[in-house]
Amino acid sequence: MSNQYKFLLEESKLPKAWYNINADLPVPPQPVLHPGTMQPVTPDFLGVLFPMNLIMQEISPERWIEIPEPVREVYKLWRPTPMFRAHRLEKALDTPAHIYYKYEGVSPVGSHKPNTAVPQAFFNKEAGTKALTTETGAGQWGSALAMACNFFGLDLEIYMVKVSYHQKPYRRIIMENFGADVYASPTDRTHFGRSVLAEHPDSPGSLGMAISEAVEVAATSNGAKKYSLGSVLGHVLMHQSVIGLEALDQMEMAGEYPDMVIGCAGGGSNFAGFTYPFLWKNFTDGRKTKVIAVEPASCPSLTRGVYAFDYGDTAAMAPIVKMFTLGHTFIPPGIHAGGLRYHGMSASVSALVDHGDIEPRAVKQLETFEAAVRFSQSEGIIPAPESAHAVRVAIDEALKCKVTGEKKVIAFNLSGHGHFDMMAYEAYHHGQLEDFEYPQAMVTEAMTHLPKVPAMA
Ligand SMILES: *Cc1c(COP(=O)(O)O)cnc(C)c1O
């Protein structure tokens, strides 16, 4: 048992239902507010952007939501994903800790993102949607949704952050291979994009801007197009729970239970997907697993942001959510973990951090790449730069155990591989990466632009 390297589940063990943390939240969820009126949104308002079946999932209090058979059929192309015991890394670190990682990089596009792309495409198809719009940063989300839309016969329009569109063509080509239309955002296709270009013709774009464009296109399509988001929202986090539900079974196969679970957090989806089933055990089963969310020191929404109501996008058109935020006017520095550069954080992750159920940590870029290289030299897998944040903290915790002699069980989510991020590794190897800590003065300034919501909210 103890020298086993990988824990593989039979296809029949693929979860039949998603876990919805709404049922177990220790604090009541905060209302989502309309960006114009600042009153709680109605399903009608959300219905402009999302199909009703996904809206019902978003607000459902049910703990378990059945995974439809057509979605499970597609999941079976790569799920259940493997869980590994990192024996070789343990040895290299000379730690008594046991390190496990769940690997989501085995999906066709190399990350956890298809876990929600597939059900979102499915439920849109069920609801009669013909076309979707979305944004993508470096292209991980766009490639996942492109694959899913291709499987379920939906058209897809993708607004890709301009700097990535030009610097990272491979994922764009994957999206186009699946039949999606990809545009470099800001574009001249939207009112918002044109307004940005008028002021900043050379704008490199940002995730917040691309969201604004994709939202505008769906909202002004008279119902012809719906919008899809790859992180942050409750139903997205819930779809990702297949990761942690499988991991619970796999830890049981390994005959151990984690003392801590770790995930990197951009909008919170892979983190929540992996850790919420363990939090469920904490809440309902008396388990005491420590839950750690890791973010970049350059985009530190959980560790340096403010827990406040803020817009989900740059143009202040998306709903207002209570979350840890750096301000919707945040323009992220150009770090090499594109998926971790969102200004906010999902509402439930934010609430659980605020309540003390999740511990947030920020790590710097150089130490993150150092950890990623060390991990790959032991385990063979080159992590996505986002996932490397979780690797860093897992290694830090294992090294603490070396000092204390504790045999802790550490489990983390390796959310994706880094095969399309080689230029970032190249820059690291040539000493061209720098650490950047987001200046406090910029956080303070951005807070002056938060929406002034009525006290009732
Ligand atoms: C998109 C992405 C992330 C960050 O998004 P979350 O919603 O926070 O999970 C992390 N890792 C990988 C590999 C990604 O593609």
Side-chain angles (χ1 to χ4, degrees):
M1 190 62 113
S2 70
N3 56 13
Q4 196 167 331
Y5 279 73
K6 47 190 187 307
F7 300 90
L8 304 175
L9 295 173
E10 303 276 337
E11 261 175 39
S12 62
K13 294 287 241 173
L14 182 69
K16 295 196 165 61
W18 291 296
Y19 170 61
N20 178 13
I21 198 150
N22 282 350
D24 294 310
L25 279 182
V27 281
Q30 298 282 338
V32 172
L33 307 180
H34 188 289
T37 65
M38 301 204 185
Q39 296 299 313
V41 291
T42 56
D44 281 359
F45 169 76
L46 293 176
V48 173
L49 295 181
F50 303 104
M52 205 47 70
N53 48 15
L54 288 177
I55 294 171
M56 296 323 278
Q57 289 180 13
E58 187 70 22
I59 58 179
S60 171
E62 298 296 323
R63 182 180 283 148
W64 301 103
I65 303 230
E66 192 189 328
I67 307 176
E69 208 44 45
V71 172
R72 294 182 81 242
E73 291 297 316
V74 176
Y75 276 173
K76 283 179 192 169
L77 292 176
W78 72 94
R79 304 208 72 83
T81 60
M83 184 141 197
F84 294 91
R85 167 106 182 258
H87 286 289
R88 292 171 52 87
L89 179 65
E90 290 169 18
K91 203 168 279 170
L93 298 173
D94 189 23
T95 175
H98 291 185
I99 305 174
Y100 292 85
Y101 61 96
K102 178 76 166 157
Y103 186 40
E104 289 296 306
V106 298
S107 85
V109 295
S111 78
H112 65 287
K113 293 212 166 70
N115 296 334
T116 185
V118 169
Q120 287 195 51
F122 170 80
F123 285 110
N124 268 286
K125 185 72 181 181
E126 285 275 294
T129 307
K130 298 277 184 285
L132 288 177
T133 72
T134 198
E135 71 291 329
T136 194
Q140 282 137 324
W141 168 241
S143 50
L145 192 61
M147 178 184 79
C149 284
N150 165 71
F151 285 165
F152 290 102
L154 292 168
D155 290 339
L156 175 61
E157 209 171 291
I158 301 174
Y159 292 82
M160 182 172 187
V161 175
K162 190 174 277 173
V163 58
S164 304
Y165 182 97
H166 293 300
Q167 285 178 3
K168 301 186 174 170
Y170 295 124
R171 284 200 181 273
R172 170 176 61 73
I173 299 165
I174 295 177
M175 296 179 238
E176 290 169 349
N177 200 60
F178 285 121
D181 294 319
V182 189
Y183 303 102
S185 166
T187 72
D188 59 6
R189 297 172 56 84
T190 65
H191 180 76
F192 177 72
R194 287 189 295 273
S195 75
V196 173
L197 289 174
E199 243 184 276
H200 306 286
D202 299 324
S203 170
S206 72
L207 207 52
M209 288 180 198
I211 293 175
S212 297
E213 289 208 278
V215 165
E216 181 183 326
V217 170
T220 56
S221 71
N222 287 321
K225 298 170 188 174
K226 297 284 182 199
Y227 167 71
S228 168
L229 189 62
S231 186
V232 182
L233 297 176
H235 66 271
V236 178
L237 273 55
M238 185 189 77
H239 296 154
Q240 294 293 352
S241 66
V242 287
I243 305 172
L245 293 169
E246 289 174 5
L248 277 174
D249 279 352
Q250 287 162 311
M251 290 307 305
E252 198 177 313
M253 284 173 84
E256 302 209 87
Y257 196 85
D259 295 301
M260 67 186 83
V261 288
I262 302 164
C264 65
S269 75
N270 90 86
F271 165 77
F274 179 59
T275 64
Y276 280 7
F278 292 95
L279 267 177
W280 165 52
K281 295 289 180 188
N282 282 4
F283 292 147
T284 63
D285 228 6
R287 292 286 188 174
K288 299 216 161 41
T289 299
K290 186 198 273 218
V291 180
I292 305 174
V294 193
E295 62 183 11
S298 55
C299 186
S301 47
L302 289 172
T303 51
R304 302 266 304 284
V306 174
Y307 188 43
F309 281 95
D310 196 8
Y311 299 102
D313 70 329
T314 306
M317 290 182 345
I320 297 170
V321 178
K322 186 154 187 196
M323 60 181 173
F324 277 94
T325 179
L326 294 164
H328 64 283
T329 51
F330 172 74
I331 296 186
I335 57 159
H336 285 281
L340 303 182
R341 293 166 64 192
Y342 183 59
H343 67 271
M345 184 57 65
S346 87
S348 65
V349 172
S350 297
L352 290 163
V353 166
D354 186 59
H355 191 255
D357 302 294
I358 295 171
E359 179 187 325
R361 269 197 222 169
V363 295
K364 295 185 193 163
Q365 183 159 251
L366 286 179
E367 59 179 352
T368 299
F369 275 89
E370 193 260 335
V373 170
R374 202 194 289 207
F375 177 84
S376 63
Q377 290 179 353
S378 295
E379 300 295 316
I381 298 171
I382 297 182
E386 292 87 354
S387 322
H389 290 71
V391 177
R392 176 72 263 170
V393 169
I395 289 179
D396 286 347
E397 290 295 324
L399 290 174
K400 278 187 208 162
C401 289
K402 180 177 177 176
V403 175
T404 62
E406 287 171 290
K407 258 190 167 166
K408 287 195 176 158
V409 178
I410 300 168
F412 69 94
N413 191 40
L414 194 66
S415 51
H417 67 63
H419 295 177
F420 295 104
D421 302 281
M422 286 304 144
M423 295 317 285
Y425 280 92
E426 168 94 333
Y428 171 70
H429 289 305
H430 287 85
Q432 290 158 352
L433 288 193
E434 285 175 2
D435 281 334
F436 176 81
E437 279 191 77
Y438 197 62
Q440 188 57 41
M442 288 174 75
V443 181
T444 310
E445 198 279 330
M447 291 308 120
T448 62
H449 305 294
L450 291 183
K452 312 259 179 305
V453 304
M456 54 131 291

